[in-house]
Amino acid sequence: QLQLVESGGGLVQAGGSLRLSCSASGFIFSINTMAWYRQAPGKQRELVATITSRGGTNCADSVKGRFTISRDNIKMMVNLQKTSLLPEDAAVYYCYIDIGKDYWGQGTQVTVSS
């Protein structure tokens, strides 16, 4: 029943922008903290940004000033606006929710060319 479906990944040039979206269903979206994670090949999955039910946000130092997380509780969506992309931003990006256990979507691939 619970579903997190990411979209918006693809190939982008270094310095470019990309917007990722996560569509959610199967839970009471408005009361949960949501997050974006990413995992590059051979690397640990890392937390990129979080957003609380009331819109409070935190971003990893590596993306501060470049990435913005937002949510729409009516549409049940979480977005990640990514600007000034760097080659090291290339990864599979995952939407996340804590429902008593960790739960991620299937991921969307972001490739950054230089």
Side-chain angles (χ1 to χ4, degrees):
Q1 184 180 6
L2 190 152
Q3 297 286 336
L4 300 174
V5 181
E6 302 96 334
S7 62
L11 175 64
V12 63
Q13 296 178 356
S17 299
L18 201 63
R19 184 173 185 171
L20 306 183
S21 296
C22 173
S23 296
S25 62
F27 64 101
I28 305 175
F29 180 85
S30 62
I31 68 172
N32 288 94
T33 293
M34 305 291 292
W36 285 94
Y37 283 73
R38 68 185 181 186
Q39 187 168 23
K43 301 293 180 63
Q44 180 83 355
R45 187 173 297 187
E46 64 175 340
L47 179 63
V48 176
T50 61
I51 184 164
T52 71
S53 61
R54 300 303 181 189
T57 62
N58 282 294
C59 292
D61 288 344
S62 60
V63 305
K64 282 183 178 177
R66 300 189 298 116
F67 291 10
T68 302
I69 187 170
S70 62
R71 70 189 293 159
D72 185 328
N73 289 342
I74 302 301
K75 296 181 178 179
M76 298 181 63
M77 296 182 66
V78 180
N79 299 317
L80 187 68
Q81 181 67 48
K82 303 164 58 170
T83 61
S84 301
L85 283 162
L86 303 170
E88 50 263 45
D89 294 319
V92 178
Y93 284 74
Y94 298 91
C95 189
Y96 167 91
I97 183 174
D98 183 353
I99 54 169
K101 63 178 181 181
D102 295 340
Y103 189 90
W104 287 273
Q106 85 287 351
T108 185
Q109 175 73 53
V110 174
T111 303
V112 183
S113 63
S114 60

